[in-house]
Amino acid sequence: MALGTLFFSCSEEEQFTSSTNARLSFESDTVRFDTVFTTIGSSTKRFKVFNRNKDGIRISSIRLASGGASGFRINVDGHSGASLTDIEILKEDSLFIFADIIGKPKNEDSPILVRDSLIFHLESGKQQQIILEAIGQDVVILKAKTIDSNTAFSANRPYLIYDSLIVAPNVTLTIPEGTTLCFHNRAYLGVYGKIVCNGSLEKPITFRGDRTDKIFTYLPYDRMDAQWGGITLYSSSGDNYFNYVDIHGGNWGIDCTTSLFVGTKFNIENSVIHNVKGFGLREYYIAGSVINSQITNAGNDCVSLIGGYVDFVHCTIAQLYPWDGNHGVALHFANVQDSIIYPLEHAYFYNCAITGSTKDEIVGEQIENAEAAFNVNFLNCLVNIKLTGEEGEGIQQMFATSVNEVAPFHAKDSTKVKDDDIVWGKKNFKEINNEIYYYDFRLDSLSQARGIGNGDYVKYAPVDRLGKQRPTSKPDAGCYQYNEE
């Protein structure tokens, strides 16, 4: 009886139907790929084909309608090709199909929709299909490229950079508005000469990694850190300009070595440095300015000033780095590093918001030495710093005109007010979502940064980073003016 039952079960399992009513089921009728750089292979997508019938189904062939001319490629049960034959799916079973695409150059500046169909011919004579879609983008590929003469890039196509992009000494690289530079893993921009990035609100300049796909359906690689290197301004570099520039997802943002250049190292305006594994902005004894800009979420310090002469006006510096609890602070400044004196001649912060996820986001280091200047001031800023009230007069004057968002903790500890009941850190901002790594640093309606600025400094940034007019009386601190809309 047991042998008979086994024989019957095997025979039943091996039955296949040729009924025209038997159909395959798909996870989706369309499989969409993210933007694919031509000549560069995409990530591989995996999807299932189901047989929900009571009998098996034989598939005479699975083929690409284009015959492979579109650049799409498929793999079924370990077999690759533009057309595969004699495939079986047992009853209530499924089949894995893998697909990718190597886009073919179209000699077009604008992205092009690439479309193909995966055709299933069933033994019954019926035909079904899955649509394959991708956006193909022609790119300018640079591999270990050195710019050795004055050069202007074009915004027509993205640049895909492998290994490095180097600007030689005494050479200027000009990058126009709307340009996108995509860096492969660990690739970086090194500037020995000068870089001029003149973006606009409508057409910013973007520095990012080259992954355009997703880790999960809800999480693009573009929201992750450490996707590429970063930007390094070497000692001979000077007069660098960054306006409406978006730098994100790198191992570092902008790193400045000790300057041998006499003059301004950089001017940064209306820009974003966000979500980097190391320092957001680090400098050693240089002169520069940062106006109307956002520097946020760094595995090390968001801003690190080791000596120098730097102004920050209407900047948002916020440390809400999600991937490592042992991250740096929002702002670190010092006049000494590794026993070497770097005079901090001038570090002034005007109408800035400097905050983060802890209750002490501003750290200063001072060595008492006649040659070690230590001139720091916070004017009409929102600050996050742990002060005991026993600091010297110099420290108290440093923060005299600013609002310390963590001060209420000391006053309200005796009443056992919970941290959640006080607006500080991430509560200042419109959306801080550490689950999908989405951050919107525009001000929340309850933010302590609202209305604490000094109108005298508005002339340096009359509109906020998104173009909203600032009032000349009691503007908001940070690079974003609160917008009720």
Side-chain angles (χ1 to χ4, degrees):
M1 290 177 61
L3 289 172
T5 303
L6 179 61
F7 177 78
F8 178 79
S9 299
C10 292
S11 298
E12 183 183 37
E13 184 177 354
E14 293 173 0
Q15 289 181 355
F16 289 86
T17 180
S18 58
S19 170
T20 56
N21 294 323
R23 301 296 179 88
L24 300 172
S25 301
F26 305 131
E27 281 185 297
S28 174
D29 292 333
T30 303
V31 176
R32 291 186 174 89
F33 290 75
D34 300 292
T35 299
V36 177
F37 298 140
T38 56
T39 73
I40 308 298
S42 71
S43 60
T44 300
K45 284 189 176 290
R46 184 185 73 171
F47 52 94
K48 277 186 174 183
V49 176
F50 299 94
N51 175 14
R52 305 189 190 281
N53 299 278
K54 294 181 180 180
D55 295 305
I57 291 180
R58 289 191 174 97
I59 306 171
S60 300
S61 69
I62 301 176
R63 65 178 180 86
L64 289 165
S66 71
S70 64
F72 281 104
R73 305 183 299 181
I74 59 169
N75 182 294
V76 180
D77 276 348
H79 299 284
S80 300
S83 180
L84 303 170
T85 59
D86 300 327
I87 299 160
E88 296 179 349
I89 308 181
L90 301 180
K91 67 175 184 179
E92 298 178 352
D93 203 351
S94 60
L95 183 71
F96 279 114
I97 296 180
F98 299 86
D100 67 0
I101 179 175
I102 297 181
K104 298 184 178 182
K106 304 294 184 182
N107 196 26
E108 295 281 350
D109 293 336
S110 299
I112 300 293
L113 175 64
V114 182
R115 207 164 189 259
D116 206 341
S117 298
L118 194 58
I119 309 295
F120 296 78
H121 290 277
L122 307 186
E123 188 180 47
S124 64
K126 288 295 182 181
Q127 180 175 295
Q128 294 179 258
Q129 69 174 2
I130 294 176
I131 302 299
L132 303 177
E133 287 185 351
I135 302 297
Q137 173 67 67
D138 286 345
V139 294
V140 179
I141 298 177
L142 303 176
K143 296 183 178 180
K145 175 68 174 178
T146 296
I147 306 296
D148 53 14
S149 61
N150 291 344
T151 300
F153 276 1
S154 166
N156 292 337
R157 301 180 187 180
Y159 288 81
L160 177 56
I161 296 153
Y162 290 90
D163 187 66
S164 61
L165 174 63
I166 302 298
V167 181
N170 303 313
V171 169
T172 298
L173 172 61
T174 301
I175 301 179
E177 63 178 8
T179 304
T180 297
L181 294 92
C182 301
F183 291 78
H184 194 59
N185 184 33
R186 300 183 183 277
Y188 71 99
L189 170 63
V191 183
Y192 292 89
K194 173 181 174 181
I195 185 168
V196 176
C197 301
N198 202 359
S200 64
L201 174 60
E202 296 77 16
K203 296 180 179 180
I205 296 167
T206 301
F207 292 81
R208 52 160 293 172
D210 66 345
R211 295 292 298 266
T212 60
D213 53 329
K214 298 180 177 67
I215 301 175
F216 307 110
T217 54
Y218 64 88
L219 183 58
Y221 274 99
D222 197 39
R223 291 186 191 169
M224 304 295 290
D225 67 345
Q227 297 300 301
W228 59 290
I231 300 173
T232 298
L233 307 179
Y234 291 104
S235 58
S236 59
S237 177
D239 282 339
N240 299 286
Y241 183 55
F242 300 88
N243 184 33
Y244 284 106
V245 173
D246 180 355
I247 303 166
H248 67 270
N251 278 297
W252 68 92
I254 298 178
D255 197 10
C256 304
T257 59
T258 304
S259 187
L260 300 178
F261 181 83
V262 178
T264 300
K265 187 76 169 181
F266 60 71
N267 288 305
I268 301 172
E269 300 179 13
N270 309 305
S271 294
V272 172
I273 301 174
H274 174 68
N275 202 27
V276 296
K277 187 175 182 180
F279 290 95
L281 173 64
R282 180 172 66 168
E283 58 88 351
Y284 286 87
Y285 199 60
I286 60 93
S289 66
V290 186
I291 299 174
N292 219 25
S293 294
Q294 171 191 320
I295 306 175
T296 48
N297 290 22
N300 215 305
D301 304 323
C302 291
V303 174
S304 180
L305 309 176
I306 311 300
Y309 194 109
V310 187
D311 284 310
F312 288 77
V313 184
H314 272 293
C315 289
T316 296
I317 305 171
Q319 178 60 292
L320 295 163
Y321 185 76
W323 290 289
D324 187 349
N326 191 31
H327 53 66
V329 295
L331 172 63
H332 169 254
F333 53 89
N335 62 0
V336 62
Q337 178 82 6
D338 298 329
S339 300
I340 300 174
I341 292 174
Y342 297 92
L344 191 54
E345 298 174 2
H346 176 100
Y348 273 44
F349 299 81
Y350 307 86
N351 292 0
C352 292
I354 307 168
T355 184
S357 56
T358 72
K359 301 173 190 176
D360 194 9
E361 291 289 349
I362 299 176
V363 175
E365 297 179 62
Q366 178 182 13
I367 185 173
E368 296 289 349
N369 187 299
E371 298 178 356
F374 193 76
N375 181 20
V376 185
N377 211 345
F378 296 84
L379 303 168
N380 296 86
C381 295
L382 176 67
V383 296
N384 177 315
I385 184 169
K386 185 177 181 180
L387 298 175
T388 64
E390 299 177 359
E391 290 79 14
E393 183 178 350
I395 300 297
Q396 294 180 25
Q397 287 298 317
M398 190 182 295
F399 299 98
T401 64
S402 293
V403 173
N404 188 358
E405 68 175 354
V406 298
F409 287 100
H410 305 294
K412 296 181 180 181
D413 280 347
S414 60
T415 63
K416 298 182 179 180
V417 173
K418 296 180 180 179
D419 290 3
D420 290 345
D421 296 331
I422 302 172
V423 176
W424 70 286
K426 68 180 183 180
K427 287 192 173 183
N428 286 293
F429 306 112
K430 188 171 182 180
E431 184 172 359
I432 304 297
N433 191 327
N434 287 331
E435 293 183 359
I436 61 172
Y437 307 121
Y438 176 79
Y439 302 90
D440 185 342
F441 286 96
R442 289 177 293 172
L443 294 181
D444 181 80
S445 60
L446 300 178
S447 174
Q448 292 194 59
R450 293 188 61 191
I452 67 171
N454 186 329
D456 291 343
Y457 312 134
V458 169
K459 61 186 177 183
Y460 301 108
V463 298
D464 78 352
R465 205 190 71 79
L466 297 178
K468 181 176 174 59
Q469 192 73 35
R470 284 194 169 97
T472 55
S473 176
K474 295 184 178 181
D476 298 341
C479 65
Y480 301 107
Q481 184 70 24
Y482 175 71
N483 190 340
E484 292 182 359
E485 298 176 359

